[in-house]
Amino acid sequence: MKLLKIDHLGIAVNSIDEAKSLWKNLGLELEGTETVKEQKVTTGFFTVGESEVELLEPVDSDGPVAKFLEKKGEGIHHVAFRVENIVEAIEELKQNGIRLIDEKPRTGAGGAKIAFLHPKSTNGVLIELCER
Ligand code: CMX
């Protein structure tokens, strides 16, 4: 497997509505929001060159982003890398002993196939693999 590019940076925020004005001042327009029920989050995307910034606002107090905000406050939540074939990538990482959160891809925002690696096996950074 090979990481192809940074697909997006996920940033946890309390409110996309409040956070979007910063990104407007940085020259970016919010392209729309989408609630991903399974992840208990609403996402808002901004395109930056060939990558994106994804704001993450919790919709439920027991979801992963709500827990992150409670523990660490607003900030970078995950880095997502594009891969060509996520099923093959997961299999290869498993064989190499990398701890995975998802052993099968899930559907994320925009219909992407996504899978997370556990931050305990990735130098403390939550990594998402993403196939579009
Ligand atoms: N980045 C880095 N470390 C993180 C983290 C993050 N985003 N979230 C949690 N951690 C760390 C915690 O600090 C904690 O470390 P310590 O034990 O040293 O304190 C450890 O991971 C366990 O954290 P926790 O608060 O007890 O939380 P959980 O174990 O319940 O869950 C995690 C952590 C990463 C397994 C969970 O958040 C998860 O499954 N994440 C994947 C799904 C997700 O994040 N979805 C939201 C985005 C969806 C999208 O982009 O569409």
Side-chain angles (χ1 to χ4, degrees), residues 35-130:
T35 297
V36 183
K37 276 194 187 152
E38 195 197 351
Q39 301 283 335
K40 299 182 176 175
V41 77
T42 296
T43 63
F45 278 93
F46 302 83
T47 300
V48 188
E50 293 195 345
S51 301
E52 291 178 296
V53 164
E54 176 189 39
L55 299 185
L56 299 158
E57 176 186 323
V59 292
D60 208 314
S61 60
D62 69 348
V65 175
K67 277 182 78 176
F68 179 91
L69 283 168
E70 201 180 308
K71 206 165 169 181
K72 303 189 183 191
E74 293 186 313
I76 292 192
H77 177 265
H78 66 265
V79 181
F81 293 99
R82 181 85 61 92
V83 293
E84 201 167 288
N85 185 319
I86 196 165
V87 173
E88 283 178 14
I90 288 172
E91 200 45 49
E92 197 175 319
L93 292 171
K94 247 164 59 178
Q95 280 172 15
N96 287 329
I98 310 281
R99 189 168 160 198
L100 296 156
I101 294 171
D102 303 299
E103 299 216 343
K104 282 187 188 156
R106 310 193 228 181
T107 303
K113 290 184 199 169
I114 63 168
F116 287 90
L117 315 187
H118 201 284
K120 291 290 177 201
S121 70
T122 54
N123 311 109
V125 176
L126 180 59
I127 290 180
E128 176 186 330
L129 302 178
C130 176

Side-chain angles (χ1 to χ4, degrees), residues 4-20:
L4 301 176
K5 66 171 202 165
I6 293 180
D7 187 89
H8 63 269
L9 287 179
I11 300 179
V13 297
N14 293 314
S15 158
I16 291 176
D17 206 41
E18 283 172 22
K20 72 180 181 199

